[in-house]
Amino acid sequence: MPTNQPTNQPTNQPTRPTPKKKPQVTATPERRRELLDTAAEVFAAQGYNATTVRKIADAAGMLAGSLYYHFDSKESMLDEILSAFLNELWQGYDTVLAAGLGPRETIEALVTESFREIDRHRAAVAIYQKESRALSTQPRFHYLSDSQQKFEKAWLGTLERGVAAKVFRADLDIRLTYRFVRDTVWVAASWYRPGGQHSPEEIARQYLSMVLDGIAVRT
């Protein structure tokens, strides 16, 4: 479109100021941990799909918009909750598996470490049990499938080693035994409450006594 102004003459248009970025609000590590703990309790109680950012914010005593200053989505919060739990779990498990213990002692140490993790991350364990199968189909949560495979390999390998060493009964169905031990340990997240009458170590001791030695009086 033609204009009345020569093309070689400056337009003298004012330069538009560069918009300032909104400052990022960062919570202290303690506050961030509190928010994630609150979110974990809500996810565990209501389920991931039924939980909204508003519900988490209400439980944390803040506005939903304020929560977005710290986390970009509920998916990010869930990712941090589950990855923190699994990273800590595997730190403990890897230490046990590298210790060169016998099969029975390895089972005892893995069970004890599992109850300690339930004590530290009860809500995360509950979420993992309910949601991991559906979540693991999403690329962001594919590590849940990897962790499950690693978990299964560790437990099955220890049980097989025990049978081969004649520490465990030769007639055991290894996979059925693994499923029984796995499920009866982790279901404790549904009833266990930190600070209760028994420590996680005491619960593990009682559990191991029943699993490894049975409940009937021997004659």
Side-chain angles (χ1 to χ4, degrees):
M1 180 182 294
T3 65
N4 294 326
Q5 187 175 7
T7 57
N8 61 348
Q9 186 174 340
T11 61
N12 295 324
Q13 292 291 329
T15 302
R16 299 180 65 181
T18 303
K20 294 182 179 180
K21 292 184 178 180
K22 193 173 184 179
Q24 180 67 46
V25 177
T26 303
T28 64
E30 294 77 14
R31 179 56 175 160
R32 189 178 184 84
R33 184 71 260 160
E34 288 175 2
L35 293 174
L36 288 172
D37 287 345
T38 299
E41 292 294 340
V42 179
F43 285 136
Q46 301 188 17
Y48 176 66
N49 288 332
T51 298
T52 63
V53 171
R54 181 178 295 278
K55 287 181 179 179
I56 297 171
D58 288 345
M62 62 195 303
L63 297 174
S66 299
L67 195 59
Y68 281 113
Y69 280 115
H70 309 295
F71 305 96
D72 60 16
S73 65
K74 71 171 187 175
E75 183 183 54
S76 293
M77 300 184 79
L78 184 64
D79 188 9
E80 283 199 44
I81 291 164
L82 292 177
S83 60
F85 154 59
L86 289 174
N87 287 339
E88 189 172 297
L89 174 71
W90 279 108
Q91 285 177 8
Y93 271 23
D94 286 340
T95 298
V96 170
L97 296 170
L101 302 173
R104 178 173 177 134
E105 291 76 19
T106 299
I107 291 292
E108 290 172 344
L110 289 175
V111 167
T112 301
E113 190 60 37
S114 298
F115 278 108
R116 286 173 179 155
E117 285 305 308
I118 293 171
D119 180 64
R120 290 188 284 251
H121 298 284
R122 186 200 60 80
V125 173
I127 297 166
Y128 181 85
Q129 288 183 303
K130 296 176 184 176
E131 311 283 357
S132 61
R133 180 171 295 183
L135 289 171
S136 61
T137 61
Q138 302 178 27
R140 183 168 190 168
F141 293 98
H142 189 70
Y143 63 85
L144 297 177
S145 293
D146 296 338
S147 181
Q148 177 59 36
Q149 292 173 12
K150 184 180 177 183
F151 185 92
E152 183 172 310
K153 182 179 178 181
W155 284 82
L156 287 175
T158 303
L159 290 168
E160 289 169 352
R161 188 160 58 94
V163 170
K166 299 183 179 180
V167 174
F168 303 140
R169 293 191 345 237
D171 63 336
L172 284 182
D173 182 314
I174 297 298
R175 187 162 292 275
L176 182 60
T177 303
Y178 155 69
R179 289 172 176 168
F180 170 77
V181 173
R182 176 197 65 190
D183 292 349
T184 52
V185 167
W186 293 108
V187 77
S190 66
W191 54 260
Y192 179 82
R193 292 297 179 271
Q197 182 179 357
H198 300 293
S199 69
E201 291 79 12
E202 173 61 18
I203 294 173
R205 189 187 69 78
Q206 291 279 349
Y207 172 87
L208 286 163
S209 175
M210 290 183 284
V211 169
L212 297 176
D213 300 321
I215 63 173
V217 175
R218 297 191 178 191
T219 60

